[in-house]
Amino acid sequence: MSKRELPLTAVTAPGCEVTPLVRQPLTPPAATELAAVFKALSDPVRLRLLSVIASHVGQEACVCDISDGFDVSQPTISHHLKVLREAGLLSSERRGSWVYYRVEPDALRQLSSLLDIALPEAAAR
């Protein structure tokens, strides 16, 4: 039997108690994918853009409605929206001469699920 096949309790340090899992941890591919999403959200402008779109009725907004209030140029706004779209947080649809952006609920649910970790009472304080 190789070391990899040994039960977890056999390879831990003496006196180290193994705690049971209450949920499955992220796999390496899932962690890589989610890291890209968090990287897209790590920019304050992108985080605000997502928030602005999510604040509209139906979590959808025309690019003309979301550009105001930002101290960056329209091409920069477009770049940030593209990053959010490529991360899977937004989708877009052209209607006439305007582009409408929509929050992708499945992506937000995935992030929410990851962040919804029950904290022990002592850690919650």
Side-chain angles (χ1 to χ4, degrees):
M1 182 183 287
S2 73
K3 230 181 184 183
R4 289 182 167 229
E5 295 174 24
L6 292 174
L8 193 55
T9 54
V11 293
T12 57
C16 179
E17 199 174 307
V18 177
T19 57
L21 293 175
V22 293
R23 62 193 277 173
Q24 289 298 315
L26 287 174
T27 63
T32 299
E33 185 178 321
L34 283 170
V37 174
F38 281 112
K39 184 176 180 181
L41 288 173
S42 69
D43 185 280
V45 172
R46 289 194 287 265
L47 193 55
R48 283 188 56 216
L49 284 168
L50 182 68
S51 174
V52 167
I53 295 167
S55 299
H56 278 80
V57 172
Q59 295 186 329
E60 176 183 79
C62 175
V63 71
C64 61
D65 293 331
I66 59 179
S67 298
D68 293 336
F70 288 91
D71 293 332
V72 293
S73 67
Q74 178 58 45
T76 302
I77 293 286
S78 293
H79 167 75
H80 286 306
L81 290 168
K82 178 184 174 188
V83 170
L84 291 169
R85 204 175 65 245
E86 289 175 346
L89 294 163
L90 297 177
S91 59
S92 63
E93 177 184 355
R94 180 170 290 283
R95 297 181 196 159
S97 60
W98 296 107
V99 177
Y100 286 77
Y101 289 88
R102 179 179 324 100
V103 172
E104 285 298 319
D106 288 340
L108 294 185
R109 268 193 285 284
Q110 188 178 16
L111 292 175
S112 178
S113 172
L114 176 66
L115 296 174
D116 185 25
I117 299 171
L119 298 175
E121 279 298 314
R125 287 183 231 148

